[in-house]
Amino acid sequence: MGLGDLRPDPVALLGQAAYLQLAWFETATAIAGRASDLTDRETLTRIAAVILQKHHELVDLVTARGADAAEAMRPYTAEVERYRRKLGDTGWHESVLTLHLATGLLDDFFARLGSTVPEQGEHIAAILDREIGHDALVALLRDAVAADRRLTSRLALWGRRLVGDTLLLARAAVATTRTADGRDTTTDDVRVDPVLTELIAAHTRRMDELGLTA
Amino acid sequence: MGLGDLRPDPVALLGQAAYLQLAWFETATAIAGRASDLTDRETLTRIAAVILQKHHELVDLVTARGADAAEAMRPYTAEVERYRRKLGDTGWHESVLTLHLATGLLDDFFARLGSTVPEQGEHIAAILDREIGHDALVALLRDAVAADRRLTSRLALWGRRLVGDTLLLARAAVATTRTADGRDTTTDDVRVDPVLTELIAAHTRRMDELGLTA
């Protein structure tokens, strides 16, 4: 389901999406650095590299519009950092799960929101939809759960915990990137709510795939 | 000046060089995350991306030799992490200076050591010699020093402090990557000492460029 004629401000949308990728890149790198196994560290570093590439491509699109990337990202740093702090400071596997589930949800959402940008829409969606290596994260988490059954309930709890804050961040993005076109915000809700329902369904499928109860 | 017929064990050399790049990548990303300015954060993230690319290309050369990258890096993790801890936990500008000076010195050293590997030597040296963005680090440090003169003496002290540990790491690499060919280690010293002298001279030039007394 698309977001129809929502048409967010392109630079605002790109700035927020680019900053989110930067934040995920730093998160992925930090998780890599905390990996107890060098092979896992390599896996996570490869994922960090893809996320960084997405960041740079979104930054390039901001620049292509004649805007300054730092300026475009700045309005969104405080909220994203607040979100990161809320979900930070957990065990290592919880952090891996956050990376898997939240990037899945947010990339999906921003790709749909971005696709409504005239002209650049398809390009923005293609960048955000690019696979970062979720299969490797699933394999890593499934191995961990198989080796330590107590982890299952811990991760199930965490997966339910993080989805709320992540959906709030997605919903807030509709308001913060909207153009001052006088459109009624209730119209936004009508557009956005069915999409959020789809995102929750996709989240539940990702949890199921890991054998976790959403 | 080259390192003549030193010919280190290729997988050992590549493993250590690749792990060092991984460590510098994580360091650069952490410094980026601590930047107070989004433009500096972008600059440092671009540098992190180049370092990560160098890491991946070195890993690919390990794989091309039929060896496992994690196995090849593992013997060097403890020493490199000890080195990082020694130089970690400083002010932000000290960390930027470490990134600038130590990657300059170590990339130069490992490029020379790597160039003595038969067949892959030229390729290894080209990867390690690739510019990561030192000009941007110099500009950033010069601006900071100009804005706060007290920083000059702090950074001069730090630059002198870090060179010792960095040279020790370089020198140790000759021993840890040497092949068991029965060559006398005094021969190694004769080869290595003039190169270390050149690296110290290059370090002094980098300090001068920043207006710091080496």
Side-chain angles (χ1 to χ4, degrees):
Chain A
M1 194 175 293
L3 284 161
D5 58 358
L6 213 52
R7 295 201 178 190
D9 175 70
V11 170
L13 180 280
L14 286 167
Q16 186 164 2
Y19 189 74
L20 262 173
Q21 298 297 328
L22 182 60
W24 287 122
F25 159 69
E26 289 177 2
T27 298
T29 305
I31 298 171
R34 286 164 60 207
S36 55
D37 179 276
L38 259 180
T39 308
D40 289 346
R41 193 158 157 195
E42 276 298 295
T43 301
L44 283 155
T45 301
R46 296 263 170 192
I47 288 170
V50 179
I51 298 173
L52 184 58
Q53 182 62 30
K54 291 166 85 154
H55 165 72
H56 283 144
E57 289 180 28
L58 293 168
V59 160
D60 290 347
L61 290 185
V62 174
T63 312
R65 298 191 81 99
D68 178 77
E71 292 293 322
M73 292 191 285
R74 191 162 292 120
Y76 308 104
T77 56
E79 191 186 0
V80 172
E81 292 309 315
R82 202 156 43 234
Y83 168 74
R84 283 176 83 185
R85 271 195 303 276
K86 262 191 175 170
L87 299 185
D89 205 20
T90 62
W92 189 77
H93 290 99
E94 280 87 345
S95 297
V96 174
L97 185 66
T98 304
L99 183 67
H100 173 53
L101 296 175
T103 58
L105 195 154
L106 290 171
D107 278 358
D108 193 359
F109 183 76
F110 275 87
R112 293 179 195 217
L113 194 56
S115 71
T116 68
V117 170
E119 286 160 41
Q120 285 183 326
E122 215 170 308
H123 190 173
I124 296 170
I127 294 168
L128 287 162
D129 277 333
R130 190 182 310 143
E131 177 51 52
I132 60 167
H134 285 283
D135 284 355
L137 296 177
V138 168
L140 195 159
L141 289 166
R142 290 175 78 128
D143 285 354
V145 163
D148 175 6
R149 301 302 304 176
R150 286 167 308 176
L151 204 54
T152 312
S153 57
R154 249 175 60 198
L155 290 182
L157 195 71
W158 184 248
R160 292 195 292 273
R161 160 85 177 73
L162 71 87
V163 70
D165 289 319
T166 308
L167 286 168
L168 281 178
L169 190 74
R171 175 172 270 297
V174 177
T176 53
T177 64
R178 81 193 304 271
T179 44
D181 62 359
R183 186 180 66 222
D184 192 332
T185 53
T186 51
T187 319
D188 288 357
D189 290 347
V190 170
R191 293 258 178 244
V192 175
D193 285 348
V195 171
L196 293 184
T197 305
E198 285 191 3
L199 297 180
I200 294 166
H203 172 81
T204 305
R205 281 194 299 276
R206 287 188 196 100
M207 292 281 276
D208 283 346
E209 192 183 9
L210 295 167
L212 305 176
T213 318
Chain B
M1 194 173 294
L3 283 161
D5 58 358
L6 214 51
R7 297 202 175 184
D9 175 70
V11 170
L13 181 279
L14 286 166
Q16 185 163 2
Y19 189 75
L20 262 173
Q21 298 297 327
L22 182 61
W24 287 121
F25 159 69
E26 289 177 3
T27 298
T29 305
I31 298 172
R34 287 163 60 208
S36 54
D37 180 275
L38 258 181
T39 309
D40 289 347
R41 194 159 156 193
E42 276 298 294
T43 301
L44 283 154
T45 300
R46 296 262 171 193
I47 288 170
V50 179
I51 298 173
L52 185 57
Q53 183 61 30
K54 292 166 84 154
H55 165 71
H56 284 145
E57 290 180 27
L58 292 169
V59 160
D60 289 345
L61 289 185
V62 174
T63 312
R65 299 191 79 100
D68 178 76
E71 292 293 322
M73 292 191 285
R74 191 161 293 120
Y76 307 104
T77 56
E79 191 186 0
V80 171
E81 292 310 315
R82 203 156 43 233
Y83 168 74
R84 284 176 82 185
R85 273 197 302 277
K86 262 190 174 172
L87 298 186
D89 204 22
T90 61
W92 189 76
H93 289 99
E94 280 87 345
S95 297
V96 175
L97 186 65
T98 305
L99 183 67
H100 173 54
L101 295 175
T103 59
L105 193 155
L106 290 172
D107 278 357
D108 192 358
F109 183 75
F110 275 86
R112 292 179 196 217
L113 194 56
S115 71
T116 69
V117 170
E119 287 159 41
Q120 285 184 325
E122 215 171 308
H123 191 174
I124 296 171
I127 295 169
L128 287 162
D129 277 332
R130 190 183 309 142
E131 177 51 53
I132 61 168
H134 285 285
D135 284 356
L137 295 177
V138 168
L140 195 160
L141 288 167
R142 290 175 79 128
D143 285 354
V145 163
D148 176 5
R149 300 303 302 177
R150 284 167 309 176
L151 205 54
T152 313
S153 57
R154 248 175 59 198
L155 291 181
L157 195 69
W158 184 249
R160 291 194 293 272
R161 160 85 177 74
L162 71 87
V163 70
D165 288 318
T166 308
L167 287 168
L168 281 178
L169 190 74
R171 173 173 272 294
V174 177
T176 53
T177 64
R178 82 195 304 272
T179 45
D181 62 357
R183 188 179 66 222
D184 192 334
T185 53
T186 50
T187 320
D188 288 359
D189 291 346
V190 170
R191 292 258 177 245
V192 175
D193 285 348
V195 171
L196 294 184
T197 304
E198 285 190 3
L199 297 180
I200 294 168
H203 173 81
T204 304
R205 281 194 298 276
R206 288 189 195 99
M207 292 281 276
D208 283 346
E209 192 183 6
L210 295 167
L212 305 176
T213 317

